[in-house]
PDB file of all heavy atoms in Angstrom:
ATOM      1  N   SER G 242     153.478 126.529  59.889  1.00  0.00           N
ATOM      2  CA  SER G 242     154.804 127.072  60.171  1.00  0.00           C
ATOM      3  C   SER G 242     154.872 128.552  59.789  1.00  0.00           C
ATOM      4  O   SER G 242     154.741 128.911  58.613  1.00  0.00           O
ATOM      5  CB  SER G 242     155.841 126.258  59.370  1.00  0.00           C
ATOM      6  OG  SER G 242     157.105 126.862  59.457  1.00  0.00           O
ATOM      7  N   TYR G 243     155.065 129.394  60.793  1.00  0.00           N
ATOM      8  CA  TYR G 243     155.169 130.837  60.561  1.00  0.00           C
ATOM      9  C   TYR G 243     156.519 131.345  61.028  1.00  0.00           C
ATOM     10  O   TYR G 243     156.950 131.035  62.128  1.00  0.00           O
ATOM     11  CB  TYR G 243     154.015 131.579  61.266  1.00  0.00           C
ATOM     12  CG  TYR G 243     152.706 131.362  60.549  1.00  0.00           C
ATOM     13  CD1 TYR G 243     151.888 130.278  60.861  1.00  0.00           C
ATOM     14  CD2 TYR G 243     152.310 132.216  59.527  1.00  0.00           C
ATOM     15  CE1 TYR G 243     150.704 130.050  60.172  1.00  0.00           C
ATOM     16  CE2 TYR G 243     151.133 132.005  58.831  1.00  0.00           C
ATOM     17  CZ  TYR G 243     150.328 130.922  59.160  1.00  0.00           C
ATOM     18  OH  TYR G 243     149.163 130.695  58.472  1.00  0.00           O
ATOM     19  N   LYS G 244     157.165 132.121  60.173  1.00  0.00           N
ATOM     20  CA  LYS G 244     158.513 132.606  60.455  1.00  0.00           C
ATOM     21  C   LYS G 244     158.517 134.124  60.565  1.00  0.00           C
ATOM     22  O   LYS G 244     157.692 134.791  59.957  1.00  0.00           O
ATOM     23  CB  LYS G 244     159.470 132.186  59.316  1.00  0.00           C
ATOM     24  CG  LYS G 244     159.586 130.686  59.106  1.00  0.00           C
ATOM     25  CD  LYS G 244     160.225 130.007  60.298  1.00  0.00           C
ATOM     26  CE  LYS G 244     160.359 128.503  60.120  1.00  0.00           C
ATOM     27  NZ  LYS G 244     161.411 128.103  59.221  1.00  0.00           N
ATOM     28  N   SER G 245     159.501 134.630  61.314  1.00  0.00           N
ATOM     29  CA  SER G 245     159.734 136.064  61.320  1.00  0.00           C
ATOM     30  C   SER G 245     160.705 136.384  60.191  1.00  0.00           C
ATOM     31  O   SER G 245     161.903 136.568  60.389  1.00  0.00           O
ATOM     32  CB  SER G 245     160.304 136.514  62.672  1.00  0.00           C
ATOM     33  OG  SER G 245     160.592 137.896  62.604  1.00  0.00           O
ATOM     34  N   ASN G 246     160.152 136.360  58.969  1.00  0.00           N
ATOM     35  CA  ASN G 246     160.967 136.672  57.788  1.00  0.00           C
ATOM     36  C   ASN G 246     160.663 138.100  57.365  1.00  0.00           C
ATOM     37  O   ASN G 246     159.503 138.496  57.277  1.00  0.00           O
ATOM     38  CB  ASN G 246     160.726 135.664  56.655  1.00  0.00           C
ATOM     39  CG  ASN G 246     159.260 135.437  56.340  1.00  0.00           C
ATOM     40  OD1 ASN G 246     158.442 135.325  57.250  1.00  0.00           O
ATOM     41  ND2 ASN G 246     158.907 135.379  55.072  1.00  0.00           N
ATOM     42  N   LEU G 247     161.722 138.855  57.093  1.00  0.00           N
ATOM     43  CA  LEU G 247     161.626 140.301  56.911  1.00  0.00           C
ATOM     44  C   LEU G 247     160.570 140.717  55.890  1.00  0.00           C
ATOM     45  O   LEU G 247     159.817 141.662  56.117  1.00  0.00           O
ATOM     46  CB  LEU G 247     163.000 140.835  56.486  1.00  0.00           C
ATOM     47  CG  LEU G 247     163.126 142.346  56.383  1.00  0.00           C
ATOM     48  CD1 LEU G 247     163.118 143.000  57.753  1.00  0.00           C
ATOM     49  CD2 LEU G 247     164.392 142.727  55.616  1.00  0.00           C
ATOM     50  N   LEU G 248     160.513 140.044  54.744  1.00  0.00           N
ATOM     51  CA  LEU G 248     159.626 140.474  53.662  1.00  0.00           C
ATOM     52  C   LEU G 248     158.260 139.797  53.701  1.00  0.00           C
ATOM     53  O   LEU G 248     157.408 140.061  52.859  1.00  0.00           O
ATOM     54  CB  LEU G 248     160.283 140.224  52.295  1.00  0.00           C
ATOM     55  CG  LEU G 248     161.686 140.783  52.097  1.00  0.00           C
ATOM     56  CD1 LEU G 248     162.158 140.547  50.671  1.00  0.00           C
ATOM     57  CD2 LEU G 248     161.733 142.273  52.408  1.00  0.00           C
ATOM     58  N   GLY G 249     158.059 138.889  54.644  1.00  0.00           N
ATOM     59  CA  GLY G 249     156.744 138.272  54.824  1.00  0.00           C
ATOM     60  C   GLY G 249     156.318 137.313  53.727  1.00  0.00           C
ATOM     61  O   GLY G 249     155.124 137.048  53.554  1.00  0.00           O
ATOM     62  N   LEU G 250     157.263 136.764  52.975  1.00  0.00           N
ATOM     63  CA  LEU G 250     156.899 135.806  51.937  1.00  0.00           C
ATOM     64  C   LEU G 250     156.201 134.603  52.547  1.00  0.00           C
ATOM     65  O   LEU G 250     156.582 134.138  53.625  1.00  0.00           O
ATOM     66  CB  LEU G 250     158.147 135.331  51.166  1.00  0.00           C
ATOM     67  CG  LEU G 250     158.170 135.728  49.689  1.00  0.00           C
ATOM     68  CD1 LEU G 250     158.353 137.221  49.569  1.00  0.00           C
ATOM     69  CD2 LEU G 250     159.265 135.013  48.946  1.00  0.00           C
ATOM     70  N   SER G 251     155.191 134.090  51.831  1.00  0.00           N
ATOM     71  CA  SER G 251     154.440 132.956  52.344  1.00  0.00           C
ATOM     72  C   SER G 251     154.017 132.025  51.221  1.00  0.00           C
ATOM     73  O   SER G 251     153.562 132.479  50.162  1.00  0.00           O
ATOM     74  CB  SER G 251     153.189 133.459  53.075  1.00  0.00           C
ATOM     75  OG  SER G 251     152.429 132.362  53.540  1.00  0.00           O
ATOM     76  N   PHE G 252     154.160 130.734  51.477  1.00  0.00           N
ATOM     77  CA  PHE G 252     153.547 129.740  50.603  1.00  0.00           C
ATOM     78  C   PHE G 252     152.034 129.848  50.753  1.00  0.00           C
ATOM     79  O   PHE G 252     151.524 130.535  51.642  1.00  0.00           O
ATOM     80  CB  PHE G 252     153.998 128.327  51.005  1.00  0.00           C
ATOM     81  CG  PHE G 252     155.404 128.019  50.579  1.00  0.00           C
ATOM     82  CD1 PHE G 252     156.460 128.167  51.474  1.00  0.00           C
ATOM     83  CD2 PHE G 252     155.673 127.590  49.293  1.00  0.00           C
ATOM     84  CE1 PHE G 252     157.758 127.896  51.077  1.00  0.00           C
ATOM     85  CE2 PHE G 252     156.976 127.308  48.901  1.00  0.00           C
ATOM     86  CZ  PHE G 252     158.015 127.466  49.788  1.00  0.00           C
ATOM     87  N   ASN G 253     151.333 129.118  49.901  1.00  0.00           N
ATOM     88  CA  ASN G 253     149.880 129.029  49.995  1.00  0.00           C
ATOM     89  C   ASN G 253     149.185 130.387  49.831  1.00  0.00           C
ATOM     90  O   ASN G 253     148.099 130.603  50.354  1.00  0.00           O
ATOM     91  CB  ASN G 253     149.467 128.376  51.331  1.00  0.00           C
ATOM     92  CG  ASN G 253     148.066 127.795  51.250  1.00  0.00           C
ATOM     93  OD1 ASN G 253     147.765 127.067  50.300  1.00  0.00           O
ATOM     94  ND2 ASN G 253     147.209 128.143  52.188  1.00  0.00           N
ATOM     95  N   SER G 254     149.819 131.288  49.091  1.00  0.00           N
ATOM     96  CA  SER G 254     149.157 132.555  48.802  1.00  0.00           C
ATOM     97  C   SER G 254     147.947 132.281  47.915  1.00  0.00           C
ATOM     98  O   SER G 254     147.984 131.403  47.055  1.00  0.00           O
ATOM     99  CB  SER G 254     150.126 133.500  48.100  1.00  0.00           C
ATOM    100  OG  SER G 254     151.196 133.813  48.979  1.00  0.00           O
ATOM    101  N   LEU G 255     146.866 132.998  48.152  1.00  0.00           N
ATOM    102  CA  LEU G 255     145.581 132.779  47.460  1.00  0.00           C
ATOM    103  C   LEU G 255     145.166 131.312  47.538  1.00  0.00           C
ATOM    104  O   LEU G 255     144.482 130.789  46.664  1.00  0.00           O
ATOM    105  CB  LEU G 255     145.628 133.258  46.002  1.00  0.00           C
ATOM    106  CG  LEU G 255     146.086 134.706  45.761  1.00  0.00           C
ATOM    107  CD1 LEU G 255     145.951 135.074  44.283  1.00  0.00           C
ATOM    108  CD2 LEU G 255     145.308 135.701  46.620  1.00  0.00           C
ATOM    109  N   ASP G 256     145.602 130.643  48.623  1.00  0.00           N
ATOM    110  CA  ASP G 256     145.285 129.238  48.906  1.00  0.00           C
ATOM    111  C   ASP G 256     145.790 128.269  47.831  1.00  0.00           C
ATOM    112  O   ASP G 256     145.220 127.197  47.629  1.00  0.00           O
ATOM    113  CB  ASP G 256     143.776 129.047  49.144  1.00  0.00           C
ATOM    114  CG  ASP G 256     143.495 127.873  50.081  1.00  0.00           C
ATOM    115  OD1 ASP G 256     144.431 127.433  50.794  1.00  0.00           O
ATOM    116  OD2 ASP G 256     142.351 127.381  50.102  1.00  0.00           O
ATOM    117  N   ILE G 257     146.874 128.660  47.138  1.00  0.00           N
ATOM    118  CA  ILE G 257     147.564 127.738  46.225  1.00  0.00           C
ATOM    119  C   ILE G 257     148.886 127.389  46.901  1.00  0.00           C
ATOM    120  O   ILE G 257     149.712 128.265  47.140  1.00  0.00           O
ATOM    121  CB  ILE G 257     147.832 128.389  44.851  1.00  0.00           C
ATOM    122  CG1 ILE G 257     146.521 128.908  44.228  1.00  0.00           C
ATOM    123  CG2 ILE G 257     148.533 127.403  43.905  1.00  0.00           C
ATOM    124  CD1 ILE G 257     146.718 129.809  43.014  1.00  0.00           C
ATOM    125  N   ASP G 258     149.061 126.121  47.244  1.00  0.00           N
ATOM    126  CA  ASP G 258     150.187 125.717  48.094  1.00  0.00           C
ATOM    127  C   ASP G 258     151.536 126.213  47.582  1.00  0.00           C
ATOM    128  O   ASP G 258     152.364 126.725  48.328  1.00  0.00           O
ATOM    129  CB  ASP G 258     150.201 124.185  48.243  1.00  0.00           C
ATOM    130  CG  ASP G 258     151.181 123.728  49.323  1.00  0.00           C
ATOM    131  OD1 ASP G 258     151.341 124.470  50.312  1.00  0.00           O
ATOM    132  OD2 ASP G 258     151.786 122.661  49.163  1.00  0.00           O
ATOM    133  N   ARG G 259     151.785 126.085  46.269  1.00  0.00           N
ATOM    134  CA  ARG G 259     153.105 126.428  45.718  1.00  0.00           C
ATOM    135  C   ARG G 259     153.274 127.933  45.473  1.00  0.00           C
ATOM    136  O   ARG G 259     154.357 128.385  45.096  1.00  0.00           O
ATOM    137  CB  ARG G 259     153.307 125.695  44.388  1.00  0.00           C
ATOM    138  CG  ARG G 259     152.341 126.162  43.299  1.00  0.00           C
ATOM    139  CD  ARG G 259     152.540 125.433  41.983  1.00  0.00           C
ATOM    140  NE  ARG G 259     151.664 125.957  40.930  1.00  0.00           N
ATOM    141  CZ  ARG G 259     150.389 125.626  40.768  1.00  0.00           C
ATOM    142  NH1 ARG G 259     149.816 124.760  41.585  1.00  0.00           N
ATOM    143  NH2 ARG G 259     149.667 126.164  39.780  1.00  0.00           N
ATOM    144  N   TYR G 260     152.185 128.698  45.632  1.00  0.00           N
ATOM    145  CA  TYR G 260     152.221 130.123  45.287  1.00  0.00           C
ATOM    146  C   TYR G 260     152.820 130.905  46.455  1.00  0.00           C
ATOM    147  O   TYR G 260     152.224 131.003  47.523  1.00  0.00           O
ATOM    148  CB  TYR G 260     150.806 130.604  44.972  1.00  0.00           C
ATOM    149  CG  TYR G 260     150.747 131.899  44.182  1.00  0.00           C
ATOM    150  CD1 TYR G 260     151.832 132.363  43.442  1.00  0.00           C
ATOM    151  CD2 TYR G 260     149.580 132.653  44.152  1.00  0.00           C
ATOM    152  CE1 TYR G 260     151.756 133.533  42.717  1.00  0.00           C
ATOM    153  CE2 TYR G 260     149.495 133.827  43.422  1.00  0.00           C
ATOM    154  CZ  TYR G 260     150.592 134.262  42.701  1.00  0.00           C
ATOM    155  OH  TYR G 260     150.512 135.425  41.981  1.00  0.00           O
ATOM    156  N   MET G 261     154.023 131.463  46.230  1.00  0.00           N
ATOM    157  CA  MET G 261     154.783 132.104  47.304  1.00  0.00           C
ATOM    158  C   MET G 261     154.969 133.588  46.975  1.00  0.00           C
ATOM    159  O   MET G 261     155.863 133.954  46.209  1.00  0.00           O
ATOM    160  CB  MET G 261     156.143 131.403  47.453  1.00  0.00           C
ATOM    161  CG  MET G 261     156.991 131.941  48.589  1.00  0.00           C
ATOM    162  SD  MET G 261     158.610 131.138  48.658  1.00  0.00           S
ATOM    163  CE  MET G 261     159.359 131.664  47.114  1.00  0.00           C
TER     164      MET G 261
END
Side-chain angles (χ1 to χ4, degrees):
S242 172
Y243 287 89
K244 300 294 180 75
S245 176
N246 50 318
L247 186 72
L248 308 184
L250 245 69
S251 178
F252 285 97
N253 202 49
S254 296
L255 307 185
D256 209 18
I257 304 168
D258 191 33
R259 66 180 184 279
Y260 199 20
M261 183 183 65

